[in-house]
Amino acid sequence: MKLARVVLLIGIFTILAPSISAQVQPPPGWRFPQKNDIKDDWEVYKFPVHIVADFNGDGFRDEAWILLRQADSGWGLFVFFGAKQRNPHIIKLVDASEGTQPQRYSISLAGVSRKKWRTACGKGYFACKPGEPTEIEITLPSIEFCYTESSCSIFLWNLKANAFSKYQMSD
């Protein structure tokens, strides 16, 4: 009986939750990955190129996408912020030049956790820069951005700065 209630609540939330999926359009010069782009590590490891969560805590669903440039082999990581009755605000978190294969990168959802996570400098991989934290707490759903079998970073919404902060978690 409990499971049925949970499934029902999830279904209701999904229907009623603010959504921007139908409104999302890539910025000029960019495109969504297509079926023929899902190859190499994206295909082998089933890496998503799109995740959805309320990254900035405003109650609206936001979307993160790895987008490809239309004119060349460049790519980027974008966030489309959801809002009521307007086009989503779009920010670019990563802009990669030609020569770096987007399929080597992945995004995934880093869920809220009251656990303290040590950053790469907090683990001693390198010296922390002035003001760089040795640990973080994931207080809002966040974007984990990784280079396959290498480094990972977390993009966490900073409420004070009203912007994403990037924290390197491994090298």
Side-chain angles (χ1 to χ4, degrees):
M1 189 67 155
K2 274 187 171 180
L3 180 59
R5 285 186 197 154
V6 170
V7 171
L8 178 62
L9 288 173
I10 290 171
I12 290 170
F13 177 77
T14 302
I15 292 167
L16 298 178
S19 176
I20 62 170
S21 294
Q23 300 172 14
V24 170
Q25 294 297 318
W30 297 87
R31 66 178 178 84
F32 293 113
Q34 299 166 353
K35 187 175 181 178
N36 63 332
D37 298 312
I38 308 301
K39 59 185 179 183
D40 303 325
D41 288 348
W42 284 357
E43 182 178 32
V44 171
Y45 298 112
K46 308 293 186 234
F47 289 152
V49 296
H50 170 238
I51 57 174
V52 177
D54 180 8
F55 299 120
N56 61 353
D58 66 357
F60 292 95
R61 289 176 54 182
D62 309 315
E63 300 187 27
W65 280 91
I66 294 177
L67 298 181
L68 307 174
R69 280 204 189 107
Q70 290 177 338
D72 58 37
S73 62
W75 59 274
L77 174 59
F78 290 80
V79 175
F80 298 76
F81 288 106
K84 191 173 186 176
Q85 298 179 337
R86 70 173 174 88
N87 291 331
H89 173 68
I90 303 170
I91 62 168
K92 183 176 9 174
L93 296 176
V94 174
D95 190 350
S97 63
E98 293 182 61
T100 59
Q101 186 180 26
Q103 290 85 357
R104 293 296 315 269
Y105 292 84
S106 67
I107 57 174
S108 60
L109 188 62
V112 174
S113 169
R114 297 298 176 198
K115 177 181 174 183
K116 300 287 185 180
W117 296 91
R118 288 191 355 215
T119 61
C121 74
K123 295 173 189 169
Y125 293 149
F126 47 80
C128 292
K129 296 174 186 162
E132 185 176 7
T134 58
E135 61 184 21
I136 63 169
E137 186 177 323
I138 302 174
T139 56
L140 290 167
S142 300
I143 303 163
E144 184 175 27
F145 178 70
C146 298
Y147 184 66
T148 306
E149 298 181 1
S150 186
S151 63
C152 286
S153 297
I154 298 278
F155 287 96
L156 172 65
W157 188 255
N158 182 324
L159 292 169
K160 290 180 185 175
N162 201 33
F164 279 101
S165 294
K166 180 180 178 183
Y167 302 101
Q168 190 169 345
M169 302 307 286
S170 62
D171 67 343

